[in-house]
Amino acid sequence: MENRAEPVTRYKINQLIDTGMSITLSLTEDVELEKVSQQQLILDSIDNLVSDKDVKQQVKPFLEAILRAQPQTVINTYSQTTIQITMPKRRFQKIGIPQVGDTLAIDIRKE
């Protein structure tokens, strides 16, 4: 088996449930999300769909003017991984009693 040095993934704690005996953490991958405007997605789509260069040059200024008048809608372009972990309360204490909003480094890989 090939052992590649993969980076450890960071997960942000979204929810913490303490049952007294165990702790359940709901985690979401903590990544920088690239923000793309809905207008840019529409312009890119038209760019890909219309093959005639002259038509693009005629239509693009009108589309840009129309889209500038619309409210900006920003879209995150990365679907995040979510994990739920349940562990004994003692182990939770050993990792420093992290709270909602804290980040955990988790190494997940096939062995």
Side-chain angles (χ1 to χ4, degrees):
M1 179 191 303
E2 186 178 316
N3 188 8
R4 288 187 243 167
E6 302 250 344
V8 172
T9 306
R10 296 168 51 91
Y11 290 86
K12 185 176 242 177
I13 300 173
N14 291 329
Q15 184 179 26
L16 187 144
I17 300 169
D18 184 348
T19 65
M21 299 284 291
S22 65
I23 304 290
T24 300
L25 302 173
S26 294
L27 310 169
T28 303
E29 194 172 2
D30 186 33
V31 293
E32 292 290 324
L33 298 179
E34 179 182 353
K35 294 187 176 185
V36 177
S37 71
Q38 190 174 21
Q39 287 88 339
Q40 188 60 48
L41 290 175
I42 291 169
L43 289 172
D44 290 348
S45 180
I46 297 295
D47 225 15
N48 292 333
L49 290 173
V50 179
S51 58
D52 188 326
K53 209 173 200 180
D54 292 332
V55 172
K56 278 184 193 180
Q57 288 177 339
Q58 291 174 4
V59 171
K60 201 166 184 179
F62 292 109
L63 275 174
E64 288 173 348
I66 292 167
L67 292 173
R68 265 187 254 136
Q70 301 297 315
Q72 285 276 340
T73 304
V74 176
I75 301 168
N76 294 329
T77 61
Y78 182 83
S79 53
Q80 298 170 310
T81 302
T82 57
I83 299 174
Q84 188 168 5
I85 298 173
T86 302
M87 64 180 74
K89 194 165 191 171
R90 183 81 178 133
R91 182 164 193 183
F92 176 74
Q93 292 169 339
K94 284 184 179 181
I95 63 171
I97 310 173
Q99 298 300 307
V100 172
D102 288 347
T103 304
L104 300 177
I106 300 176
D107 180 17
I108 300 175
R109 61 191 149 107
K110 182 178 177 181
E111 290 191 315

